[in-house]
Each structure stands twice: as C-alpha cells, then as structure tokens.
Amino acid sequence: MPRRSASLDRATPDRIAEAALLLIDEGGPEALTFRALAARLEISLASLQRRCTDLAGLLDLCTDHLAARLPDVPPGTDWATATETRFTALYRLLTAHPGLLALRGTRPWLGPHLLARLAEPQIAANLAAGLEPERAVTAYRRMYLLTLGSAGFVDHRDPRATRAATRGALAALDPADFPALTGHPHAIVAAMTDHDVYHGALRQLIDAADPAAPTATPRNPAHD
C-alpha cells in the first residue's frame, strides 16, 4: 500500500485556510504569499500550488472555511431573531479578519458553506415568512451588503488607530468649507468604531422587511 505523503496531510483545505488566515491576521494582507504560506505549513511550494492554483482560489478557501463557523439556527426560531442571528454572526466573523476582506475586495462570496449556512436558509426563511420572491431576495441582499460594508469599512481590530486617523483627517479640514464635519468631531469619531451603528441599521432593515410587522397604508401622491 503506497505511503501517504506527510506534506499532503499538512496541506488539507482546512489547514491551508487556517494558516493563511493566521498570516493575514498577524502581518496584514501583504503577508499572504504562497511562499510564506508553504513555509508556515512546512510543505513545498509545489505541494501548496497543487491544492490552490492561484490567490483567488486560496481566498475562496479561506472565506468558505470561515463560513463553516456560521450557526445553524434551530427550527422554530422566529423569523426576526433567526435573521439577526445569522447576519450578526457573519459580521463577527468578518470584523475579526479585516485583512481577508481587504484582499477579497469586490469578489463575490459564493462558497458552498456560505450558501448553505446563510444564503439558502435565509432566503428560504424569507419565503416561508410570507415575502414574495423579489422581496425575499432584496431583503437578503440589503442585509448582506450592510454586513459586508460595515465590517470592511474600518479595521475593527484596531479601533484606536481608526479613531486617531479620523481625528487627524477632521483636523486637516477647513471649518469654513466643512462646518458640519469639523463642528462635530467627537460624534463622528465615536461613530466610526461603534458596532451598534451596524446592529441598529440591521434591526431597522429587519423591522422594515418583517412580514409579521404592521404596515402603514402606502401614501398615494394623487390624493395629496
């Protein structure tokens, strides 16, 4: 029976993803190279490239590895609670790995774990709650984009640096040209790293889409 290669044991998809995420978290996006990752895994560069042929494939591996940690929401959970649980879990994962977000840029997140643990159950829950297909998908898309944008806008692992950079940018503005920005620096700086900005916005989207919530009669401009 042929002997299994030790390098292949060290180059499982999960181990590759974990090592790549550690490199990014420790040294920033620029720290992730195939050579550095192969050295971290103690395998040859050729062995690594057999598993991941390019950076795009490596990043897909990392994102789907993280998506596997998203929770399975128990059956019977009410729609609003289940929705908030899924998206806040995604937000926590993303804010813990800002370097990965920076590397992925605008590339779509379509790995099997993300689809199975977020997109499919959430859209299915939207439909089961009574939303029409177009509204079900739109509601999901709004919450998904809010989560990605809120997580990627600043490095939430280093809020002090973010606040310092914001103060510096505001201090460089001419109050005559930017009275609103320069007149409220404390509020602006605080909002930059306040996680409740995200959580509050998510709850507003959930309340607006909740089919169980009372809805106001649409205004008819012709009757104004």
Side-chain angles (χ1 to χ4, degrees), residues 3-75:
R3 186 181 172 204
R4 183 177 176 85
S5 167
S7 65
L8 289 179
D9 288 339
R10 289 192 293 271
T12 63
D14 282 340
R15 288 188 177 185
I16 291 172
E18 288 168 3
L21 288 167
L22 279 174
L23 281 174
I24 298 170
D25 293 343
E26 293 168 358
E30 63 279 0
L32 181 62
T33 67
F34 271 73
R35 194 170 299 279
L37 182 55
R40 175 66 65 96
L41 290 165
E42 298 181 331
I43 62 175
S44 69
L45 187 59
S47 294
L48 177 59
Q49 289 174 328
R50 279 196 292 271
R51 294 290 195 186
C52 301
T53 57
D54 55 19
L55 180 61
L58 176 57
L59 295 177
D60 286 342
L61 196 66
C62 291
T63 54
D64 210 47
H65 177 77
L66 286 180
R69 303 177 189 175
L70 291 172
D72 287 321
V73 177

Side-chain angles (χ1 to χ4, degrees), residues 189-207:
V189 169
M192 292 295 292
T193 56
D194 184 358
H195 289 292
D196 197 52
V197 172
Y198 165 73
H199 294 297
L202 177 62
R203 284 190 290 269
Q204 287 181 332
L205 288 179
I206 291 172
D207 289 345

